[in-house]
Amino acid sequence: MANHSIEASIDLQDFTGENLIAAPADASDGAGEINLGAFRGLAFALIFETVLVALGGVVWQLLRFIHW
């Protein structure tokens, strides 16, 4: 396959270990905390999907009951 490139005016920095500033583990600004937002979002999505599947099952059973 042929590789194609384009000119971009975006200036990307070189992200190496030299550019990263390590925060101390006892920083009081919360830098050492784990962000749980992604886990809360995943939990919400799983609960939402479970509720939708349960409601879909109830509607399906009602339609089967009414049809027969």
Side-chain angles (χ1 to χ4, degrees), residues 25-47:
D26 60 346
S28 61
D29 62 350
E33 292 182 17
I34 297 174
N35 188 0
L36 296 177
F39 296 108
R40 275 188 253 146
L42 178 63
F44 175 77
L46 290 173
I47 291 170

Side-chain angles (χ1 to χ4, degrees), residues 1-67:
M1 295 180 70
N3 291 334
H4 301 282
S5 62
I6 60 171
E7 284 293 324
S9 62
I10 301 172
D11 183 26
L12 298 175
Q13 298 177 0
D14 184 21
F15 292 105
T16 61
E18 300 169 353
N19 297 339
L20 299 176
I21 300 172
D26 60 346
S28 61
D29 62 350
E33 292 182 17
I34 297 174
N35 188 0
L36 296 177
F39 296 108
R40 275 188 253 146
L42 178 63
F44 175 77
L46 290 173
I47 291 170
F48 186 69
E49 182 181 2
T50 303
V51 168
L52 284 180
V53 168
L55 288 176
V58 168
V59 170
W60 175 254
Q61 290 298 325
L62 285 173
L63 288 174
R64 285 185 59 202
F65 180 72
I66 291 171
H67 182 69

